[in-house]
């Protein structure tokens, strides 16, 4: 059976205030064309269909059109909710839509209830595990701790229990939305850290033939059977080096896997350029970036006059301007933003405690309080998004 694995559409998202709706529509055209041209048997969408819990009407209309087109080609689609989606909103009408071959899996209680497809070699059970916010699903799975590994492990126990009761030789596919150890993140994924821990080991998925992951925006393989499709479009300049694609996966009669990357349309290339303003404006090697979306990092010791105006004369699609003056590391004029670069929220909070105390950072009890505060804020946002 041949699957097309995709994820992280983030319908409704913009790129530095530039609308991506047309680019997202072009991607969905490409997806439907790929389904037709490559004889795809089923489409797997591993979460983050929308960019936010209450998406704009234009994004909802685009999603509605995609569902009609996928149903129209007669190829089953299995789709789960991600951490950006409102599971309850995305799942509205799932029972009716199911009859059209569009299988929305947004309820954690249904993790052990697969969509069963059949080919010449027997049954394939497809299990949709929506994003599992630990604090919200702990009671459902009766786990001792509210962590990603524990709730995802409990969900997989249900998968394996159901699979054990099926006919020998039944093959299996799991869709999940999670941060798996070994994955390479980018700047555009929302933090899902719980208690300072976000990642789960790939071994939690043991016992199934293929795991279609969503959440990380770079297309990548954790191992032969556990893969991220990544987002079809770039959503931050940290993705400038990404090759945006989907996985075309052939699942053989004995569970063997063959996977091929299918490239996605690129609306405009990304470029990150760095140097003094005059050098950027004159360097002939940068000609190839003149029609790209550009993030320019200026290293001039003194901020130049009207830098964006001057940059856009050569690079009209400059969207981001960063200042990183050439200074030695111990220069007292180094900006606060530079000191915070590459540090997560927990580290910034701990650094602040150390700063106001004159050097003494938080002890373990205080670190636990800080982690708990960040977890509470994240959970509150998840609850409000689910309402």
């Amino acid at each position: 059976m041949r699957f097309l694995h995709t994820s992280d559409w983030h319908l409704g998202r913009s790129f530095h205030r530039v609308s991506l709706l047309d680019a997202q529509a072009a991607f969905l055209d490409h997806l439907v064309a790929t389904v037709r041209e490559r004889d795809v048997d089923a489409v797997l969408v591993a979460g983050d269909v929308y960019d936010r819990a209450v998406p704009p009407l234009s994004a909802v209309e685009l999603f509605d059109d995609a569902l009609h087109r996928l149903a129209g080609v007669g190829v089953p689609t299995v789709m789960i909710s991600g951490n950006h989606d409102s599971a309850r909103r995305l799942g509205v009408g799932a029972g009716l839509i199911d009859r059209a071959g569009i299988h929305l899996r947004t309820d954690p209680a249904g993790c052990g209830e697969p969509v069963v497809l059949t080919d010449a070699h027997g049954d394939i059970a497809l299990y949709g595990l929506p994003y599992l916010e630990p604090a919200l699903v702990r009671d459902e799975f009766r786990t001792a701790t509210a962590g990603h590994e524990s709730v995802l492990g409990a969900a997989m126990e249900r998968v394996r229990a159901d699979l054990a009761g099926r006919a020998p030789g039944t093959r299996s596919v799991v869709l999940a939305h999670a941060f798996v150890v070994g994955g390479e993140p980018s700047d555009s994924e929302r933090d899902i850290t719980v208690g300072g821990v976000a990642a789960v080991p790939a071994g939690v998925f043991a016992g199934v033939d293929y795991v279609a992951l969503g959440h990380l925006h770079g297309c990548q393989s954790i191992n032969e059977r556990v893969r991220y499709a990544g987002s079809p479009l770039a959503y931050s300049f940290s993705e400038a080096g990404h090759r945006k694609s989907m996985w075309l996966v052939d699942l053989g009669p004995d569970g063997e896997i063959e996977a091929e990357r299918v490239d996605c349309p690129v609306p405009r290339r990304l470029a990150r350029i760095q140097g003094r303003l005059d050098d950027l404006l004159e360097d002939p090697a940068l000609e190839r970036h003149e029609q790209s979306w550009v993030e320019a990092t200026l290293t001039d010791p003194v901020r130049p006059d009207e830098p964006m105006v001057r940059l856009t004369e050569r690079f009209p699609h400059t969207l981001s301007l960063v200042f990183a003056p050439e200074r030695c590391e111990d220069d007292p004029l180094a900006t606060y933003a530079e000191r915070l670069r590459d540090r997560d929220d927990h580290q910034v909070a701990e650094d602040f405690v150390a700063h106001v105390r004159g050097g003494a950072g938080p002890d373990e009890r205080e670190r636990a309080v800080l982690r708990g505060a960040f977890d509470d804020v994240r959970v509150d946002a998840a609850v409000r998004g689910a309402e």
Side-chain angles (χ1 to χ4, degrees):
M1 184 165 285
R2 173 168 287 182
F3 302 105
L4 186 62
H5 168 198
T6 176
S7 70
D8 294 274
W9 295 355
H10 289 278
L11 300 181
R13 188 162 183 163
S14 60
F15 185 77
H16 289 266
R17 298 177 300 281
V18 174
S19 172
L20 292 177
L21 200 65
D22 288 345
Q24 290 171 335
F27 159 69
L28 292 172
D29 289 343
H30 171 67
L31 183 147
V32 174
T34 301
V35 169
R36 288 195 179 106
E37 295 166 6
R38 301 299 300 271
D39 297 321
V40 171
D41 296 304
V43 176
L44 313 178
V45 186
D48 281 354
V49 174
Y50 291 122
D51 188 56
R52 57 182 186 264
V54 184
L57 180 59
S58 56
V60 176
E61 291 172 339
L62 188 57
F63 178 60
D64 180 65
D65 179 65
L67 292 186
H68 279 83
R69 294 172 68 188
L70 288 168
V73 296
V75 172
T77 298
V78 183
M79 183 178 296
I80 62 172
S81 50
N83 62 301
H84 279 249
D85 299 309
S86 166
R88 291 176 63 183
R89 287 188 176 90
L90 186 63
V92 168
L96 289 173
I97 297 172
D98 194 82
R99 300 176 189 176
I102 306 293
H103 308 284
L104 297 174
R105 294 295 184 261
T106 63
D107 184 358
C111 287
E113 302 168 8
V115 175
V116 180
L117 304 179
T118 303
D119 65 7
H121 307 287
D123 289 346
I124 301 97
L126 293 89
Y127 300 88
L129 279 53
Y131 171 67
L132 303 173
E133 174 56 52
L136 299 184
V137 301
R138 177 178 177 178
D139 291 342
E140 167 65 33
F141 293 107
R142 300 179 181 179
T143 57
T145 59
H148 285 289
E149 184 175 354
S150 60
V151 297
L152 196 52
M156 283 301 302
E157 286 177 6
R158 294 187 183 184
V159 168
R160 285 186 281 267
D162 179 83
L163 193 58
R166 296 189 175 274
T170 298
R171 288 157 290 164
S172 55
V173 173
V174 165
L175 289 78
H177 197 85
F179 187 174
V180 176
V181 173
E184 182 65 34
S186 63
D187 291 344
S188 56
E189 299 107 7
R190 183 180 295 167
D191 183 23
I192 59 171
T193 299
V194 175
V197 178
V200 300
V204 77
F205 298 108
V208 298
D209 294 308
Y210 184 73
V211 181
L213 291 175
H215 180 57
L216 300 185
H217 289 180
C219 182
Q220 53 197 294
S221 300
I222 303 301
N223 57 50
E224 180 191 23
R225 298 186 181 276
V226 181
R227 300 173 188 262
Y228 282 98
S231 60
L233 299 170
Y235 292 119
S236 74
F237 277 102
S238 67
E239 300 168 55
H242 286 190
R243 173 188 165 193
K244 295 301 183 180
S245 56
M246 303 176 285
W247 285 111
L248 193 67
V249 179
D250 287 316
L251 178 61
D254 297 316
E256 60 270 34
I257 295 291
E258 292 185 9
E260 172 192 346
R261 291 178 70 174
V262 178
D263 291 332
C264 296
V266 179
R268 191 179 297 278
R269 299 198 176 278
L270 307 187
R272 300 178 108 174
I273 60 177
Q274 179 170 334
R276 297 193 177 197
L277 179 58
D278 289 341
D279 294 337
L280 298 180
L281 296 177
E282 297 172 4
D283 188 350
L286 299 181
E287 182 178 355
R288 67 186 188 279
H289 298 315
E290 290 179 352
Q291 295 306 313
S292 301
W293 278 324
V294 169
E295 177 184 73
T297 299
L298 301 185
T299 60
D300 302 70
V302 177
R303 183 174 301 207
D305 293 333
E306 299 185 318
M308 183 62 88
V309 172
R310 295 170 64 189
L311 275 168
T312 53
E313 290 176 356
R314 182 179 188 188
F315 307 103
H317 304 288
T318 301
L319 300 181
S320 176
L321 186 58
V322 180
F323 293 96
E326 296 169 347
R327 295 190 179 115
C328 58
E329 291 184 2
D330 58 353
D331 191 324
L333 295 179
T335 69
Y336 184 64
E338 288 170 332
R339 295 199 301 271
L340 297 184
R341 189 171 297 154
D342 299 325
R343 302 185 71 75
D344 62 28
D345 291 342
H346 296 274
Q347 292 169 322
V348 171
E350 291 186 13
D351 288 349
F352 177 76
V353 172
H355 172 73
V356 297
R357 285 179 173 170
D363 59 27
E364 190 54 44
R365 182 186 62 81
E366 291 167 330
R367 287 192 182 95
V369 171
L370 289 172
R371 285 196 298 268
F374 281 111
D375 290 347
D376 288 345
V377 170
R378 193 199 66 261
V379 170
D380 179 66
V383 170
R384 285 187 282 106
E387 293 174 345

